């Protein structure tokens, strides 16, 4: 009996040592980073830059996998169901906070089924219009939109996309309902705007900077509290719509059962990657703002997610902007 107990104890110790060794060796194979949107979109661009910088820190490959559809919920659901071993992560934006209100049927709970590794960047948005637009400033554009609300088409990249959410907030702030035209992604929506097939759109600087600087579309304002260094000529929308502010924050998540040791390694790598000069320069060029240090960890990122869920719920409910 005594020897049997010793054997059981030895086996238990061996399991603990083996598990500890496995965590110490992490990662020993490529890490899949699920981006729940199409390749080439704003979130994808940030994810690929971050993955490259984090991979360098972890001395292992981080491979971005695009799993788009249903406003980011398909990709998020895939990660929620994945093994909590640190080899499947999710890189998602503000849509993580609006999904519980937008979707009546959601197969995951943002605050319960994931462990936030840390918040990475906050991307301001721009209010842009088709090139044929005759207005030259924000005040005149808003006045024109209000006066012609039945003729104006507001484009977005689909339900749950950042452009959709910004559009909801814009209509709420203007107290004006517009005809919204959803597309199957940021690319098609921008193409329609460039072609003059839709009138206005609100989208991230990561997607609009090149088009604005190239003079291909007209820009009228930014959604940040203050002016952006990249666009000093554009006023904050809050100058005409008091209190208007929206940024597209991005968080890296792991499934809920991921071991603390793995989460800690990922968090350390994320914080180091954010400080990487190459990553920082890329984000600056795109107009993305690095998140404060107190958001670059699990507690800070989770607090941000919780606060944003509370913020967006009444806006979505008031607009009755639900998706099946």
């Amino acid at each position: 009996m005594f020897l049997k107990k010793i054997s059981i104890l030895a086996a238990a110790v061996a399991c603990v040592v083996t598990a500890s060794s496995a965590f110490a060796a992490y990662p020993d194979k490529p890490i899949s980073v699920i981006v729940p949107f199409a390749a080439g979109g704003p979130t994808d661009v940030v994810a690929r830059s971050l993955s490259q910088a984090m991979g360098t820190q972890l001395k292992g490959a981080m491979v971005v996998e695009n799993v788009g559809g249903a406003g980011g919920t398909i990709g998020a659901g895939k990660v929620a169901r994945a093994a909590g071993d640190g080899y499947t992560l999710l890189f998602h934006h503000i849509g993580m906070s609006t999904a519980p209100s937008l979707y009546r049927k959601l197969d995951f709970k943002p605050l319960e089924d994931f462990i936030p590794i840390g918040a990475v960047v906050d991307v301001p948005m721009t209010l842009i219009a088709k090139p044929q637009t005759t207005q030259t400033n924000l005040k005149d554009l808003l006045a024109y939109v209000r006066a012609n609300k039945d003729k104006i088409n507001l484009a977005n990249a689909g339900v749950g996309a950042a452009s959709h959410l910004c559009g909801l907030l814009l209509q709420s702030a203007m107290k004006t309902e517009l005809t919204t035209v959803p597309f199957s992604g940021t690319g098609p929506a921008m193409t329609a705007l460039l072609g003059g097939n839709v009138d206005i759109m609100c989208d991230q600087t990561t997607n609009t900077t090149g088009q604005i600087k190239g003079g291909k579309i007209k820009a009228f304002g930014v959604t940040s509290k203050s002016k952006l260094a990249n666009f000093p000529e554009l006023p904050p929308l809050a100058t005409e719509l008091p209190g208007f502010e929206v940024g597209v924050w991005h968080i890296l998540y792991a499934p809920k059962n991921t071991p603390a040791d793995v989460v800690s390694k990922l968090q350390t790598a994320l914080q180091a990657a954010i400080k990487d000069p190459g990553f920082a320069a890329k984000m600056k060029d795109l107009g993305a703002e690095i998140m404060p240090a107190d958001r670059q960890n699990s507690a800070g990122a989770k607090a941000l997610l919780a606060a944003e869920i509370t913020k967006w719920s009444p806006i979505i409910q008031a607009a009755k902007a639900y998706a099946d």
Side-chain angles (χ1 to χ4, degrees):
M1 180 64 70
F2 176 74
L3 291 176
K4 185 176 181 180
K5 288 182 178 179
I6 291 292
S7 298
I8 293 173
L9 178 60
V13 170
C15 288
V16 171
V17 171
T18 300
S20 298
S21 298
F23 295 153
Y26 174 84
D28 60 4
K29 63 181 180 179
I31 298 170
S32 179
V33 180
I34 303 298
V35 172
F37 303 102
T43 299
D44 181 68
V45 170
V46 178
R48 291 179 187 276
S49 295
L50 178 69
S51 296
Q52 182 176 2
M54 281 187 68
T56 299
Q57 296 297 324
L58 291 167
K59 295 180 173 57
M62 294 187 73
V63 182
V64 171
E65 179 185 351
N66 298 95
V67 183
T73 61
I74 294 177
K78 179 176 179 178
V79 178
R81 295 186 297 273
D85 56 9
Y87 290 100
T88 305
L89 307 177
L90 172 70
F91 190 73
H92 205 339
H93 65 28
I94 188 174
M96 193 70 151
S97 67
T98 59
S101 299
L102 280 172
Y103 293 89
R104 294 185 176 92
K105 298 176 182 178
L106 196 64
D107 62 354
F108 62 87
K109 297 179 179 179
L111 288 171
E112 298 176 21
D113 293 336
F114 301 89
I115 299 175
I117 303 301
V120 182
V121 292
D122 191 10
V123 183
M125 305 188 80
T126 50
L127 178 60
I128 52 179
K130 63 184 181 182
Q132 299 89 343
T133 303
T134 58
Q135 288 70 42
T136 58
N137 60 67
L138 178 61
K139 183 176 182 178
D140 288 349
L141 177 70
L142 295 179
Y144 177 79
V145 169
R146 286 191 177 102
N148 297 272
K149 63 180 183 179
D150 295 331
K151 301 177 182 178
I152 298 295
N153 290 324
L154 170 64
N156 66 56
V159 174
S163 52
H164 173 228
L165 303 175
C166 185
L168 289 178
L169 192 61
L170 178 66
Q171 293 175 84
S172 176
M174 292 179 66
K175 297 180 174 59
T176 302
E177 290 188 18
L178 302 173
T179 299
T180 59
V181 183
F183 289 85
S184 59
T186 300
M190 179 62 76
T191 298
L193 190 73
L194 289 166
N197 298 315
V198 291
D199 300 294
I200 59 174
M201 182 167 70
C202 184
D203 206 3
Q204 302 173 65
T205 56
T206 44
N207 186 52
T208 63
T209 295
Q211 305 289 3
I212 294 172
K213 291 188 177 297
K216 297 180 179 179
I217 53 177
K218 291 192 175 181
F220 289 86
V222 295
T223 65
S224 51
K225 282 184 179 180
S226 55
K227 291 185 176 182
L228 301 179
N230 277 14
F231 301 110
E233 74 282 6
L234 298 181
L237 267 66
T239 58
E240 295 295 332
L241 302 170
F244 191 103
E245 181 187 359
V246 59
V248 186
W249 44 265
H250 294 71
I251 292 176
L252 182 68
Y253 302 86
K256 63 181 178 181
N257 294 324
T258 304
D261 286 0
V262 171
V263 171
S264 179
K265 277 194 174 185
L266 287 167
Q267 184 173 278
T268 298
L270 179 143
Q271 292 169 351
I274 288 174
K275 295 176 183 177
D276 178 84
F279 177 78
K282 177 70 172 178
M283 294 305 102
K284 183 178 180 180
D285 288 344
L286 294 172
E289 302 174 349
I290 299 297
M291 276 289 187
D294 62 353
R295 297 289 196 193
Q296 298 173 19
N297 56 57
S298 292
K302 188 169 186 176
L304 171 63
L305 175 61
E308 289 285 298
I309 289 174
T310 300
K311 170 186 173 179
W312 283 99
S313 179
I315 294 173
I316 293 169
Q317 289 176 7
K320 295 182 173 59
Y322 307 118
D324 293 329

